[in-house]
Amino acid sequence: MPASASRIGFITQAVRNATAGPDGTVIAKYGDQARDTEEPLECFFDNVEDAEAVAAERLALLSPDRRRFVTEISGTGTGESLDFNMTAPTARIIDSEKSADLPAIVVELGIDYETDRSVLTTWG
């Protein structure tokens, strides 16, 4: 990459700020647990737009309510068939008692061969 005047100016800046928010739902949900310092987080991006995109993605992850579900499934076939090689498996959680009908990611898998069951922990 040629060293243009704008590129030299960008590189020689000590700090570049990228922010997302504030979001009232995140503030209400996490309150004092939120990071309350003005110190920048060190990260390595080629441009501010990339850093702002990541900050917006992080805010989007924090905004909705998330819940954890542990589901026991009869048989080991379900657990054995999940493929974690390319992507994390997802599931749709439907639970009328907990008012849940939502997509979730499988974050933990247990297979119990003695009781012939799969145990999926999902987050969504």
Side-chain angles (χ1 to χ4, degrees):
M1 175 180 281
S4 65
S6 62
R7 182 74 181 156
I8 292 170
F10 178 82
I11 291 171
T12 57
Q13 290 176 345
V15 175
R16 289 170 290 282
N17 292 323
T19 59
D23 183 326
T25 58
V26 174
I27 293 169
K29 192 183 315 181
Y30 298 107
D32 293 339
Q33 295 176 355
R35 188 173 180 271
D36 62 356
T37 178
E38 295 299 318
E39 288 272 323
L41 293 173
E42 185 175 352
C43 54
F44 304 93
F45 293 97
D46 286 335
N47 57 51
V48 176
E49 291 79 22
D50 289 344
E52 287 173 342
V54 170
E57 288 176 11
R58 183 173 183 268
L59 182 63
L61 286 172
L62 292 173
S63 297
D65 287 329
R66 306 278 185 207
R67 294 189 283 175
R68 180 179 168 267
F69 294 89
V70 177
T71 308
E72 294 183 9
I73 302 168
S74 178
T76 58
T78 301
E80 292 170 338
S81 67
L82 293 178
D83 184 12
F84 287 88
N85 289 332
M86 298 302 289
T87 62
T90 60
R92 179 154 204 89
I93 302 298
I94 300 171
D95 187 337
S96 57
E97 289 180 13
K98 297 177 182 172
S99 300
D101 185 355
L102 52 104
I105 187 169
V106 177
V107 295
E108 186 177 330
L109 166 66
I111 300 175
D112 188 341
Y113 290 104
E114 289 183 15
T115 60
D116 191 38
R117 65 184 176 150
S118 300
V119 180
L120 301 179
T121 303
T122 57
W123 182 254

